[in-house]
């Protein structure tokens, strides 16, 4: 199926990808005090990019964001960037961003329940590489307890916001 909002020209697509990477950068700076780490709006933006731009452009926007971080720009939560940060405990979640944008952009539907299922699935697949990578630092059980469980309610809220945003933009 087609994407929710389809940039019609190559220039529009390039601008959408650049704008998406900047939105992701800004979303990393929106932090809500939370345990065990502050919660950001990054996962919301990642899924929104896929849902609104489609798999190709959504993944491109996330990849551009990750490239900015790899170059050392302080795009991640907190004033940090660089490859050392990306290889740290949250590195798997950064990889999960790519997968989530791809999933959200690959499965397009106009049905409200279908959109909710896509948003939830995209958020869920993000946690797989995140928890697995984190487990190399703290063990699988602790990684799941600290890296997934606390975020269940926030994920449900963000997925609902993704559906609402997609419907409004459409």
């Amino acid at each position: 199926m087609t994407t929710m909002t389809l940039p019609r020209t190559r220039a529009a697509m390039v601008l959408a990808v650049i704008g998406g990477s900047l939105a992701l950068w800004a979303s990393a700076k929106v932090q809500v005090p939370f345990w065990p780490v502050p919660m950001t709006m990054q996962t919301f933006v990642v899924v929104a990019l896929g849902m609104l731009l489609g798999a190709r452009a959504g993944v491109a926007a996330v990849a551009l964001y990750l490239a900015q971080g790899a170059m050392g720009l302080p795009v991640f939560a907190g004033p940090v960037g660089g490859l050392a940060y990306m290889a740290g405990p949250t590195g798997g979640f950064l990889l999960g961003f790519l997968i989530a944008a791809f999933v959200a952009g690959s499965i397009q539907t106009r049905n409200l329940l279908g959109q909710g299922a896509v948003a939830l699935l995209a958020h869920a697949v993000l946690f797989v590489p995140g928890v697995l990578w984190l487990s190399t630092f703290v063990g699988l059980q602790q990684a799941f307890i600290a890296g997934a469980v606390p975020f269940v309610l926030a994920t449900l809220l963000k997925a609902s916001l993704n559906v609402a945003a997609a419907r409004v933009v459409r």
Side-chain angles (χ1 to χ4, degrees):
M1 293 197 118
T2 60
T3 56
M4 295 287 184
T5 59
L6 183 63
R8 303 264 186 229
T9 66
R10 185 177 300 254
M13 187 63 71
V14 168
L15 288 175
V17 167
I18 293 169
S21 75
L22 295 175
L24 193 47
W25 185 340
S27 72
K29 304 307 179 185
V30 177
Q31 295 189 10
V32 177
F34 202 70
W35 179 90
V37 295
M39 182 177 55
T40 69
M41 291 302 289
Q42 290 171 286
T43 56
F44 166 78
V45 171
V46 165
V47 174
L49 290 172
M51 290 179 81
L52 297 174
L53 299 179
R56 176 187 260 170
V59 169
V62 173
L64 178 57
Y65 166 77
L66 294 175
Q68 293 162 346
M71 290 186 295
L73 295 174
V75 299
F76 303 125
V80 294
L83 291 174
Y85 178 83
M86 294 176 79
T90 60
F93 294 98
L94 297 174
L95 172 62
F97 287 179
L98 291 167
I99 300 166
F102 178 79
V103 167
S106 295
I107 308 169
Q108 295 291 322
T109 178
R110 296 175 191 258
N111 177 288
L112 179 64
L113 291 176
Q115 287 175 335
V118 168
L120 283 173
L121 177 63
H123 280 278
V125 300
L126 186 151
F127 284 101
V128 174
V131 169
L132 289 175
W133 181 255
L134 181 58
S135 74
T136 65
F137 294 86
V138 298
L140 186 56
Q141 182 177 356
Q142 186 59 33
F144 183 74
I145 290 169
V149 172
F151 301 99
V152 171
L153 290 177
T155 297
L156 292 171
L157 176 62
K158 289 178 186 180
S160 298
L161 291 173
N162 284 126
V163 172
R167 295 185 81 74
V168 166
V169 170
R170 193 164 175 272

